[in-house]
Amino acid sequence: MTMMVNRTSAPAVRERSQGVGAGPGRRGRLAQWLFVAPAVLYMLVFFGYPLVRNVVMSFQDYTPATYFTGEAPFTGLENWWAVLTDELFASSLWHTLLFTVGSLVGQFTIGMALALFFSRRFPLSGVMRSLLLLPWLIPMVVAGTVWRRVLDQETGVVNEALQGLGVVSSAIPWLSSPDHALISVILVNIWIGIPFNMVILYGGLQEIPREVREAALLDGAGPFRAFFGVILPMMKPVVTVVLVLGFMSTVKILDLILALTNGGPAHATETLGTYTYQLSFLQLDFGQGAVVGNVLILISMVFAVIYLRANRDGLEERR
Amino acid sequence: MRLLPHRPPPALPLTAATVALTLLATGCAAERDPGVYTIMNSGTDEPYHSWDQEVMDRCGAENGVQVQQLSVPADQLVPKALRMASSGSLPDVLIIDGSDLPQFAETGGLVPLEELGLSTATLSEGAISFGSHEGVYYGAARSVNSLGLFYNVDILAEAGVEPPRTWAELRETAAALTEGDRYGLAISALATEDGVYQFLPWLWSNGGDERDLDAPEAVEALEFVTSLLDDGLASRSAVNWTQADVNDQFIAGNAAMMVNGPWQMPVLREHPDLEWAVVEIPVPEAGATPVAPIGGETYTIPRNSENPEREELAARLVACLTTPEAQLDWSTKGSNVPVDAEAAERYREEVPQLAAFVDQVQTARSRTQNVGTDWNVYSQAIGTALQAALTGEASPADALARAQAQVESELRSRS
């Protein structure tokens, strides 16, 4: 995907650098700004404003009364202090980390395996590949609600099957035990994320010329050597994109967990996403909710920068 | 889609920005049509929505206006109303859950109903306290609900047991009814309001109080509920079940009894082959008074500084929507209990199947009666303690001690 984008944007960059040499006139510069203005305006209104508002809100005593009176006194670092010293914040952060890393490792490994599998042509491979996309098309809330039933301790299909096959002797408390819930939620999220990983990685694999693979095999590299020594390094830009985009959508997870466990049992699946939801919309403490939201934004920003750098490096390599 | 770092065609953002700016410029100053009044509620489900519309149309016609019903899902009602408050576009009548009333009343954004000529003279004490915050009456109630113990008549008859009235009887009965895949009892123990609401009858009937969570009465109540799960009389999945899930389990025959509210009636009625009845929630000892939480919606009137004259007509609409006749009519259809004492008695005769709820409501109290706007702090702490104890993560005593500490520190940071 990125390669496609890079390829189309590369000539544009070149043309612009030639244009700079010629020196645009005043009219030209105005025209340039006019072209940029709509996008800038859009960004300011729909991204800039909420972002700044959220940061400001985290320093305010923002309660339901604020909506009526418009008054939200500044309280300095009080919200930040209250949230950062809360045990629930630390455990939410830890759960978010486990959830994100667990989901990404699972999604990526299985997605890559499937992508490699489908890169060999065999009858019905196209049909099967399309069918595997289904989890991606299902709304998160629907997936969560269905999985909640499927994983129910007593009446869920999974336990019935496992017990029927004699794999386990007693029902596994997938979602009802604090020791199991986080793992179960990660497993469901892996199931949801596999199609995304598979599609992008499959696209990446198609970009690698057949000859390169064949040459590696001819030179005596085994399938593992060929994969880790040739294919994976060549797919580095795609892999980076998959992982960074996957990270950004996973770290802020909310809907899936709300539908599956509501952050429970006993806060075992509380992540930063559900924690900020709890604070803002259940406790109506919008200031503290904003603090957690800001922490999430900060974390995502770090990875956005990594993503942009990776993108730019990829672009430069190609020029 | 998010995987494409795409560039939208420039026309789109431009249009979007123009639309947004136009909205910003005109949104706040929108004139209200004097002939149209809006009522916001959470009645998104049919047939409730149509039933409400019928009554609203009738009351609108009586007052010579058209009434528009604006329904949003229950969990989005408060955030939505707050957003509307900030842009001064609140509806003429706002129907909110009784437990959210203090939050709104506290802001000063609601008009005391007595100022608008709605008298409390004929109302029962319970109805007044349900719609009041700090002694001021802001919300008129139409009907209320509470929790009861539903039981499967056939299963109990087969086992030859009577519906339980005390905790000890509940344990015995549940044990006698637990068999194979079937549990004796189903409850909801979610950490959200569903589970907390269901824990309150045990806590309150035992003399416990949310303001004193580490007291022996509270610990005893939590120990009792925990023991039901530990002894295998109720499913451990309770920590993931909403009250609707509990109802499904009961209907599917996976539980012989359940704690639930009258709002499950429409779903229960879809299964005419299932014979059920309902009694009051069992109490710790014979003769003790059951104290269950009271729930329900209140009709409030948000301040309308631009058109204060609208408030008065809105009050007339509220009065019309909550007359004893309207209460009885709605309660019979929607399986709630009328607030008006006389209407409640007539309801008992007309719907004997749900008579237990009429009794339950007499002694029930609202969640916000003692702690007002701080209820969500208590609710959060109780939900956490409930789940910690039920999953074995902490003993009931430790879980409640932590909850008490959590409430105290939370309240300190608020003041």
Side-chain angles (χ1 to χ4, degrees):
Chain A
M1 286 292 158
T2 35
M3 298 192 183
M4 265 164 47
V5 173
N6 288 347
R7 217 176 270 167
T8 49
S9 55
V13 172
R14 229 170 281 152
E15 272 161 34
R16 201 171 61 204
S17 52
Q18 284 162 6
V20 169
R26 189 185 274 181
R27 283 181 74 97
R29 193 160 295 152
L30 185 72
Q32 283 179 355
W33 275 110
L34 278 176
F35 274 109
V36 179
V40 170
L41 199 66
Y42 176 79
M43 296 270 287
L44 282 180
V45 172
F46 291 104
F47 295 101
Y49 174 72
L51 205 68
V52 171
R53 229 1 236 285
N54 204 51
V55 172
V56 172
M57 204 187 259
S58 71
F59 295 100
Q60 285 176 314
D61 182 22
Y62 209 100
T63 61
T66 309
Y67 286 92
F68 287 89
T69 58
E71 286 165 23
F74 280 92
T75 53
L77 289 170
E78 212 170 272
N79 287 332
W80 287 83
W81 178 250
V83 167
L84 297 181
T85 55
D86 188 352
E87 275 171 45
L88 202 51
F89 176 77
S91 68
S92 303
L93 194 62
W94 174 238
H95 294 151
T96 310
L97 181 80
L98 290 179
F99 180 82
T100 311
V101 172
S103 298
L104 288 187
V105 169
Q107 291 172 355
F108 182 80
T109 320
I110 302 176
M112 181 61 110
L114 284 171
L116 287 169
F117 178 65
F118 281 110
S119 65
R120 307 157 166 260
R121 310 219 166 268
F122 55 89
L124 290 181
S125 68
V127 176
M128 280 190 56
R129 206 153 41 85
S130 327
L131 281 179
L132 274 172
L133 280 179
L134 280 178
W136 199 17
L137 302 177
I138 299 174
M140 279 268 199
V141 179
V142 176
T145 314
V146 171
W147 274 100
R148 191 157 59 90
R149 301 245 157 162
V150 169
L151 292 175
D152 189 276
Q153 189 171 346
E154 274 89 22
T155 55
V157 183
V158 173
N159 273 345
E160 299 252 335
L162 289 179
Q163 280 176 300
L165 292 170
V167 181
V168 292
S169 54
S170 63
I172 299 172
W174 292 107
L175 296 172
S176 41
S177 147
D179 303 327
H180 293 71
L182 189 61
I183 295 170
S184 310
V185 173
I186 292 174
L187 287 177
V188 174
N189 194 45
I190 289 176
W191 176 82
I192 291 173
I194 288 172
F196 170 74
N197 280 260
M198 185 191 76
V199 167
I200 311 287
L201 292 172
Y202 178 80
L205 277 175
Q206 300 305 304
E207 297 261 320
I208 299 176
R210 274 210 113 66
E211 307 86 67
V212 176
R213 267 194 264 184
E214 278 161 15
L217 292 176
L218 275 181
D219 285 343
F224 278 96
R225 186 78 201 279
F227 176 71
F228 286 106
V230 179
I231 297 179
L232 204 55
M234 286 188 76
M235 284 178 68
K236 199 184 142 212
V238 182
V239 170
T240 321
V241 168
V242 166
L243 287 180
V244 173
L245 288 182
F247 175 88
M248 288 197 286
S249 64
T250 309
V251 77
K252 63 177 170 57
I253 191 87
L254 171 71
D255 36 9
L256 179 70
I257 295 187
L258 281 189
L260 274 175
T261 61
N262 237 309
H267 296 303
T269 52
E270 206 77 72
T271 57
L272 292 178
T274 61
Y275 187 41
T276 181
Y277 172 80
Q278 290 253 1
L279 286 171
S280 295
F281 296 110
L282 297 181
Q283 299 206 28
L284 302 180
D285 194 330
F286 300 94
Q288 292 195 10
V291 172
V292 182
N294 285 330
V295 171
L296 258 180
I297 293 172
L298 269 178
I299 297 175
S300 293
M301 249 158 76
V302 171
F303 282 83
V305 169
I306 296 177
Y307 168 70
L308 289 175
R309 288 197 88 108
N311 237 359
R312 201 186 55 196
D313 292 349
L315 205 113
E316 268 156 19
E317 268 166 34
R318 271 164 194 278
R319 282 180 71 186
Chain B
M1 266 179 297
R2 55 185 170 207
L3 69 145
L4 288 170
H6 67 172
R7 293 129 212 260
L12 185 64
L14 187 62
T15 327
T18 321
V19 170
L21 287 178
T22 324
L23 284 178
L24 281 177
T26 57
C28 310
E31 268 300 305
R32 293 193 192 207
D33 183 339
V36 180
Y37 278 69
T38 40
I39 299 184
M40 185 156 92
N41 64 7
S42 58
T44 45
D45 292 346
E46 287 297 354
Y48 299 101
H49 187 84
S50 313
W51 286 342
D52 260 327
Q53 191 60 52
E54 275 170 34
V55 198
M56 288 175 188
D57 285 344
R58 189 172 54 73
C59 287
E62 264 178 37
N63 290 286
V65 292
Q66 199 194 330
V67 179
Q68 244 173 19
Q69 183 183 191
L70 177 64
S71 299
V72 297
D75 54 342
Q76 287 161 34
L77 186 75
V78 170
K80 166 110 182 158
L82 289 176
R83 281 201 305 276
M84 292 171 102
S86 69
S87 61
S89 58
L90 273 171
D92 296 287
V93 177
L94 174 64
I95 305 180
I96 47 175
D97 193 85
S99 60
D100 292 323
L101 178 91
Q103 294 280 3
F104 279 89
E106 183 87 3
T107 62
L110 299 179
V111 190
L113 293 184
E114 282 177 295
E115 272 179 27
L116 297 171
L118 283 186
S119 157
T120 57
T122 58
L123 292 178
S124 74
E125 213 165 285
I128 298 174
S129 90
F130 185 63
S132 297
H133 175 61
E134 292 178 349
V136 183
Y137 179 64
Y138 292 101
R142 174 169 62 179
S143 63
V144 289
N145 60 57
S146 190
L147 289 168
L149 183 73
F150 288 74
Y151 63 92
N152 186 315
V153 176
D154 294 337
I155 297 180
L156 263 77
E158 207 176 288
V161 290
E162 290 291 311
R165 276 161 308 180
T166 63
W167 287 9
E169 284 178 22
L170 175 63
R171 179 189 300 281
E172 277 167 38
T173 316
L177 298 172
T178 301
E179 196 186 282
D181 286 343
R182 187 181 72 208
Y183 283 97
L185 179 71
I187 54 169
S188 161
L190 271 187
T192 54
E193 207 56 29
D194 266 36
V196 176
Y197 195 67
Q198 290 223 345
F199 176 63
L200 293 176
W202 314 118
L203 175 73
W204 288 347
S205 301
N206 199 37
D209 191 315
E210 60 275 13
R211 289 166 296 179
D212 208 358
L213 283 173
D214 49 1
E217 292 87 1
V219 176
E220 232 172 72
L222 187 52
E223 277 169 352
F224 174 69
V225 179
T226 309
S227 73
L228 293 176
L229 267 70
D230 285 347
D231 299 348
L233 307 179
S235 168
R236 291 218 171 267
S237 300
V239 291
N240 294 116
W241 283 347
T242 61
Q243 299 189 86
D245 292 330
V246 169
N247 196 38
D248 288 345
Q249 295 290 328
F250 180 73
I251 291 170
N254 294 329
M257 302 182 286
M258 69 164 173
V259 175
N260 226 322
W263 58 89
Q264 304 293 3
M265 282 280 287
V267 188
L268 284 168
R269 280 207 198 100
E270 286 169 19
H271 301 267
D273 47 315
L274 177 81
E275 212 183 309
W276 55 268
V278 58
V279 291
E280 286 183 74
I281 304 259
V283 288
E285 267 149 31
T289 314
V291 188
I294 200 171
E297 291 170 330
T298 59
Y299 289 58
T300 66
I301 299 179
R303 278 198 191 284
N304 192 335
S305 45
E306 281 166 43
N307 317 78
E309 74 285 353
R310 287 179 76 97
E311 293 172 0
E312 295 191 0
L313 199 138
R316 289 211 293 280
L317 286 177
V318 168
C320 172
L321 291 167
T322 57
T323 57
E325 291 73 38
Q327 291 186 15
L328 186 64
D329 180 50
W330 174 265
S331 301
T332 318
K333 284 194 281 199
S335 313
N336 271 4
V337 179
V339 190
D340 182 79
E342 227 169 276
E345 282 316 306
R346 273 163 57 202
Y347 175 78
R348 194 199 292 273
E349 284 159 27
E350 282 178 32
V351 199
Q353 204 173 17
L354 294 178
F357 287 109
V358 180
D359 297 323
Q360 192 93 64
V361 162
Q362 306 296 328
T363 53
R365 75 168 168 92
S366 80
R367 286 158 281 175
T368 50
Q369 182 178 318
N370 293 331
V371 297
T373 52
D374 292 330
W375 170 252
N376 47 24
V377 174
Y378 288 91
S379 169
Q380 173 98 15
I382 295 172
T384 307
L386 183 66
Q387 293 218 322
L390 293 190
T391 57
E393 200 244 328
S395 73
D398 289 348
L400 285 169
R402 278 197 327 225
Q404 181 67 24
Q406 186 190 333
V407 167
E408 282 168 17
S409 87
E410 192 70 36
L411 291 183
R412 227 176 294 127
S413 80
R414 280 198 172 192
S415 56

